[in-house]
């Protein structure tokens, strides 16, 4: 076992500065609430500053150095210690780098959709990413848990941004799940500390934990179950996943933050820390906890993919896809073999690039055309060709198609299963790939190759799961399981203006002036704002005569939205075609080589 802080540890202020930037940025955003352009400039500058600080530490970390900022002892020998090591740098690069494009995209989305409460939105978005970086750079379980809970509290206003009853209910549900998961992690942390006297992350496992596990395996299993299970809540592992589809009531940039950049990745990262730096792969194998964790992950992958099949709401389908895809990371950790660990950690950036691309595309469709249902998408690629091309690439990556990011991570997972003799894992991966094609290909096909007359708005499945017979008229049941005419239940922005007139959002690409009191308006003003801009799902989509081509090249949406989604799609292709040349590969190889996992291959 090799302590990540040995020999090469260097005192450095940069890990602390990374966490200071969001606090300063939040204050400046609130102070600039009356000047929207200045407020958004602080958002962009803060994102660039955070990414720049993180990137500046990469060369040293690749050379084997570890950067630390110690704020002294908190209690019982537990230090408030921030540390940038190779494992933390993987998550930090993903969170800080993708926040740059998410921040730019959010400006276009919030302007284009004339969302209220924009000052609060940008401030909490920044704080949430800062908390995710705190999770990445935590040097022990206590510090990680502190930032983990800050992340929960900071993202609640984003989930409940709409301030409708539906949004508040979804926010409370998210809080209940996430805080309960944090409480479980705290319980596991206490057990580890009592029996070992340490909770500081150590590559290959905390010293003394293997001895304790050999002497009292059941208590060690309980500690592992509490910690891994607590982190699995935010990772969306079934059966503690229900908060995630409900959280789709939030604006699309928040959905991207939840699914690709910060929140669910924090849960998967916590599971990774637990396996690699708290217990260590050998100890996890010795107490027999890899198998049940793998069963949970594999079950989640298959079942959530089946649920994705029956979603007509585009964001809901992406939400269930996220539940499945995050469990690839958990599965890699559970298999304990070096190749599987490589695959699981590679899936952190691979999934982030692809899933953020998909959500950015979904948001562009909603802002420009008010399309949020798959049954509304026949021929939409004619109107938004660049957006739908990026969506297609993201879908292919999720399915593990070669030369895209998802193939790289799933290839290593596959060989991790083969090398360990886990043929059932191979079956899960192959089946999951087929299901990915099954729920993504219809979207691509209808967008590129169908018209409204050919599509007919037919549901993906004729009935909900559970054995209900298909109705005589297929359209009586919606693809998400509800009946036509029912209120949409918690998978997207609430339909607050079902009878309002539709307005063309192409006329609103510019920035609407925002007076001093807008962010503090009451809910009645908020509803009025939504009414003015046609949030309702009343327009007959797609148009009977088909979608019109955009006027001019790349004019399908505002550059604030188009450039970010093109950027993430490009990163996804680069990761798939030249992974060895990207720093993620070198960082992950360092983590795996020092994890002590070689001895558990084939167990």
């Amino acid at each position: 076992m090799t302590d990540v802080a040995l020999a090469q540890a260097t005192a450095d202020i940069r890990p602390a500065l990374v966490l200071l930037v969001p606090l300063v940025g939040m204050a400046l955003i609130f102070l600039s609430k009356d000047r929207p352009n200045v407020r958004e400039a602080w958002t962009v500058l803060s994102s660039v500053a955070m990414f720049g600080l993180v990137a500046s530490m990469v060369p040293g970390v690749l050379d084997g150095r570890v950067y630390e900022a110690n704020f002294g002892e908190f209690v019982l020998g537990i230090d408030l210690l921030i540390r940038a090591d190779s494992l933390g740098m993987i998550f930090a690069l993903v969170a800080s780098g993708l926040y740059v494009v998410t921040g730019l995209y959010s400006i276009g989305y919030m302007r284009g959709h004339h969302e209220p409460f924009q000052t609060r939105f940008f401030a909490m978005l920044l704080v949430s990413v800062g908390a995710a970086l705190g999770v990445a750079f935590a040097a022990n379980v206590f510090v990680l848990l502190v930032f983990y809970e800050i992340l929960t509290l900071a993202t609640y206003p984003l989930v409940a941004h709409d301030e409708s009853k539906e949004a508040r209910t979804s926010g409370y549900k998210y809080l209940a799940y996430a805080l309960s998961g944090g409480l479980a992690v705290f319980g596991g942390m206490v057990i580890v500390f009592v029996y070992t006297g340490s909770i500081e992350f150590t590559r290959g496992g905390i010293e003394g934990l293997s001895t304790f596990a050999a002497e009292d395996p059941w208590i060690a299993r309980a500690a592992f179950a509490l910690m891994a299970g607590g982190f699995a809540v935010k990772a969306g592992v079934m059966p503690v996943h229900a908060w995630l589809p409900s959280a789709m009531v939030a604006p699309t940039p928040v959905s991207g933050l939840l699914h690709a950049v910060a929140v669910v990745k924090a849960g998967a990262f916590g599971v990774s820390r637990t396996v690699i730096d708290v217990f260590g792969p050998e100890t996890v194998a010795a107490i027999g906890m890899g198998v049940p964790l793998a069963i949970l992950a594999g079950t989640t992958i298959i079942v959530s993919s089946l649920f994705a099949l029956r979603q007509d709401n585009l964001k809901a389908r992406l939400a269930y896809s996220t539940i499945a895809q995050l469990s690839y990371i958990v599965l890699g950790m559970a298999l304990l073999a070096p190749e599987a660990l490589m695959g699981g950690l590679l899936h952190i950036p691979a999934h982030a690039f692809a899933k953020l691309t998909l959500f950015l595309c979904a948001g562009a469709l909603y802002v420009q055309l008010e399309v949020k249902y798959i049954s509304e998408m026949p021929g939409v690629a004619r109107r938004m060709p660049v957006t739908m091309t990026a969506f297609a690439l993201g879908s292919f990556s999720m399915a593990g198609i070669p030369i895209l990011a998802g193939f790289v991570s799933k290839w290593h997972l596959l060989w991790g299963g083969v090398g360990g003799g886990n043929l059932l894992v191979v079956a899960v991966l192959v089946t999951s790939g087929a299901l990915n094609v099954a729920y993504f290909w219809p979207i691509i096909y209808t967008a590129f190759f169908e018209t409204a007359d050919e599509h007919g708005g037919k549901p993906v499945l004729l009935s909900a799961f559970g054995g209900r017979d298909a109705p005589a008229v297929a359209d009586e049941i919606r693809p998400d399981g509800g009946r036509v005419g029912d209120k949409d239940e918690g998978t997207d922005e609430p339909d607050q203006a079902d009878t309002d007139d539709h307005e063309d959002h192409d006329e609103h690409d510019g920035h609407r002036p925002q007076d001093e009191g807008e962010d503090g308006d009451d809910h009645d003003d908020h509803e009025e704002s939504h009414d003015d801009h046609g949030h309702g799902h009343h327009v007959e989509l797609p148009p009977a005569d088909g979608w019109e081509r955009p006027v001019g090249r790349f004019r399908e949406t505002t550059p604030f939205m188009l450039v970010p989604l093109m950027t993430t799609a490009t990163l996804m292709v680069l990761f798939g075609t030249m992974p060895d040349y990207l720093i993620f590969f070198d960082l992950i190889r360092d983590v795996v080589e020092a994890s002590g996992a070689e001895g558990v291959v084939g167990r």
Side-chain angles (χ1 to χ4, degrees), residues 11-24 50 53-54 57 67-71 80-84 130 133-134 137 147:
D12 197 291
I13 194 64
R14 282 176 290 179
L17 287 178
V18 170
L19 306 183
L20 181 62
V21 169
L23 296 178
V24 175
M50 285 193 298
L53 286 167
V54 171
M57 292 184 282
Y67 298 106
E68 291 185 348
N70 196 333
F71 296 95
L80 297 176
L81 182 62
I82 305 297
R83 174 187 296 155
L133 293 174
F137 289 153
F147 284 106

Side-chain angles (χ1 to χ4, degrees), residues 300-322:
T300 300
I301 289 170
I302 300 301
V303 174
S304 57
S305 296
L306 291 172
F307 274 101
L309 280 170
R310 59 188 287 260
Q311 307 303 317
D312 188 32
N313 186 295
L314 180 57
K315 284 175 65 178
R317 186 169 295 197
L318 295 179
Y320 281 103
S321 170
T322 295

Side-chain angles (χ1 to χ4, degrees), residues 401-408 569-582:
I401 302 299
I403 79 165
L404 294 171
F407 173 77
V408 176
T570 301
L571 288 170
M572 177 175 56
V573 174
L574 290 175
F575 193 90
T577 54
M578 51 182 69
D580 288 339
Y581 293 95
L582 299 181

Side-chain angles (χ1 to χ4, degrees), residues 16 157 178 228 244 290 301 332 336 345 349 355 368 414 441 489 493-494 536 564 593 598:
L244 205 154
I301 289 170
L336 305 173
L345 293 176
K355 186 50 63 73
Q368 294 304 129
L414 183 67
W441 176 246
E489 300 233 349
E493 288 83 359
E593 288 177 353
E598 285 80 358

